[in-house]
Amino acid sequence: MAGSVWRSLLSRVAARRPSLSSASFSRGMQTVTLIPGDGIGPEISSAVMKIFEAAKAPVTWEERNVTAIKGPGGRWMIPPDAKDSMDKSKIGLKGPLKTPIAAGHPSMNLLLRKTFDLYANVRPCVSIEGYKTPYTDVDLVTIRENTEGEYSGIEHVIVDGVVQSIKLITEDASRRIAEYAFEYARNNQRSSVTAVHKANIMRMSDGLFLRKCREVAESYKDIKFTEMYLDTVCLNMVQDPTQFDVLVMPNLYGDILSDLCAGLIGGLGVTPSGNIGANGVAIFESVHGTAPDIAGMDLANPTALLLSAVMMLRHMGLHDHGNKIQAACFDTIRDKKVLTKDLGGNSKCSEFTAEICRRIQDLD
């Protein structure tokens, strides 16, 4: 059954239009801002670059390091050269970034989202043939509002021992993410959108989010719209994930539910992710950790970053290159002969990368 899902996904993808993109990319070589990240980030970024070279993807890399720095007025910001690069290229690929805990700095991922107004996090979760998990037919997409909710960063001490954190939900952001979810469903031949909420408890905040989803749904009669409480979604998801297609939700719910869905297909190490922003900007990323314990040991699994890079290629309209790379990656996993340890093998990152490159060349 997993094979049929996999083949169906490839056939659907081959026919899709560049549906994630609001930017236009010219023919010829295209510049991508590469943020290797920390820990295993440089290793898996190097693997992706080698695979892109094997696939003759028309991409040039502009590498930038991202650390939080203090700008005028003491506000945290990313380095100007990284921002300038993203402003020009409009598209980035990012490895895992560490955020020192209790060091006074903001989450680097959160800072990037706010800097470039990356309002939609998109995570396709599809079962991979040959990679055994308790679920074999998962084929769904989580779409998370990325800029507000509980992650708005509005917290303060009321009195000693009492802290208040404010959940910010706005009409504009709720409408924008709902419209994105329905457009994504329509452009990617998806049949339904489920709004995930807790409006029974948070009647004003989640109530506003749900109302905007309902209003937007009225303009997409070709897409089935359902609404479901977050706890009910979690229950139903682990019982039968095949009942879901596209799910749209506020920030915190999306953070949790997207990781749960990643667990259904084998974990964050095989799950791609894209962040779509205003003004045509998009950053694709691996969402696993920096794994400092294996950094520099040639043991990392580059699959999540590679599949995120495939999402990026499709966003850029480079579907043939994306399909070729994905097919080579999935064929390597299905064959089970050259796999990194977390995928069930004993191969090194460099060996796994070389095998994908070999299969790409065989496809030419």
Side-chain angles (χ1 to χ4, degrees):
M1 293 296 286
S4 63
V5 170
W6 175 70
R7 286 188 292 271
S8 172
L9 174 70
L10 278 179
S11 64
R12 285 210 313 271
V13 162
R16 290 175 188 168
R17 307 304 301 167
S19 56
L20 287 177
S21 178
S22 57
S24 59
F25 293 93
S26 60
R27 298 284 182 180
M29 296 298 288
Q30 300 175 28
T31 300
V32 171
T33 301
L34 177 66
I35 303 170
D38 303 307
I40 61 172
E43 295 167 69
I44 59 177
S45 297
S46 176
V48 169
M49 287 191 285
K50 289 176 183 175
I51 292 167
F52 268 49
E53 183 178 359
K56 299 181 175 63
V59 167
T60 58
W61 305 99
E62 193 167 270
E63 187 172 328
R64 293 291 183 269
N65 292 317
V66 173
T67 54
I69 62 174
K70 281 196 174 181
R75 294 187 62 181
W76 290 102
M77 57 184 288
I78 67 171
D81 67 330
K83 186 176 186 306
D84 290 345
S85 178
M86 276 298 307
D87 286 340
K88 291 175 184 176
S89 70
K90 299 292 187 184
I91 191 157
L93 182 67
K94 181 183 77 65
L97 291 172
K98 66 180 179 182
T99 297
I101 297 174
H105 348 167
S107 159
M108 289 307 309
N109 292 317
L110 187 58
L111 189 56
L112 283 168
R113 290 174 206 153
K114 289 187 174 182
T115 300
F116 299 109
D117 195 15
L118 301 172
Y119 67 89
N121 175 254
V122 183
R123 281 206 218 170
C125 290
V126 181
S127 296
I128 298 176
E129 185 178 13
Y131 188 40
K132 185 175 176 58
T133 72
Y135 303 89
T136 57
D137 287 331
V138 181
D139 184 4
L140 58 87
V141 181
T142 60
I143 296 180
R144 163 190 173 188
E145 204 293 317
N146 228 4
T147 64
E148 54 179 32
E150 291 86 349
Y151 292 3
S152 301
I154 308 171
E155 293 187 312
H156 54 266
V157 176
I158 298 177
V159 296
D160 286 346
V162 180
V163 175
Q164 184 178 58
S165 178
I166 295 176
K167 173 176 179 172
L168 180 70
I169 298 289
T170 67
E171 181 176 307
D172 288 347
S174 298
R175 181 189 301 111
R176 180 170 65 171
I177 196 65
E179 288 174 345
Y180 181 86
F182 278 95
E183 278 296 310
Y184 181 96
R186 178 179 282 173
N187 292 334
N188 288 273
Q189 301 173 4
R190 297 275 180 173
S191 61
S192 71
V193 171
T194 300
V196 183
H197 66 96
K198 283 296 289 182
N200 58 324
I201 304 298
M202 285 165 277
R203 298 182 183 276
M204 295 183 71
S205 55
D206 280 24
L208 175 59
F209 172 82
L210 184 57
R211 283 198 305 278
K212 295 301 114 181
C213 289
R214 289 171 177 169
E215 289 174 9
V216 170
E218 290 298 314
S219 300
Y220 293 84
K221 295 296 188 181
D222 53 318
I223 306 295
K224 180 183 177 182
F225 173 64
T226 58
E227 49 195 64
M228 195 175 292
Y229 298 142
L230 172 65
D231 44 340
T232 305
V233 170
C234 292
L235 173 64
N236 291 348
M237 186 70 72
V238 298
Q239 290 179 327
D240 178 18
T242 63
Q243 65 189 283
F244 295 105
D245 196 354
V246 175
L247 302 100
V248 61
M249 64 213 78
N251 206 337
L252 176 62
Y253 307 160
D255 192 6
I256 297 167
L257 192 58
S258 60
D259 277 12
L260 184 153
C261 293
L264 303 178
I265 64 169
L268 296 177
V270 294
T271 304
S273 178
N275 297 283
I276 312 303
N279 304 314
V281 175
I283 296 179
F284 298 83
E285 63 179 347
S286 56
V287 290
H288 54 68
T290 58
D293 55 320
I294 61 169
M297 299 171 64
D298 197 18
L299 297 175
N301 172 15
T303 300
L305 188 63
L306 181 61
L307 295 180
S308 298
V310 167
M311 286 181 70
M312 179 189 77
L313 288 172
R314 291 173 180 150
H315 174 86
M316 299 166 72
L318 299 170
H319 294 267
D320 290 343
H321 293 88
N323 294 341
K324 184 188 299 184
I325 292 171
Q326 179 175 283
C329 178
F330 283 177
D331 286 347
T332 300
I333 293 173
R334 187 180 68 248
D335 199 42
K336 299 182 180 180
K337 292 179 181 176
V338 184
L339 298 176
T340 54
K341 189 172 182 180
D342 61 312
L343 291 173
N346 291 297
S347 299
K348 295 184 179 297
C349 175
S350 56
E351 294 167 338
F352 180 68
T353 301
E355 178 64 14
I356 294 174
C357 291
R358 183 189 70 77
R359 289 177 181 272
I360 288 171
Q361 290 160 355
D362 288 347
L363 290 170
D364 288 335

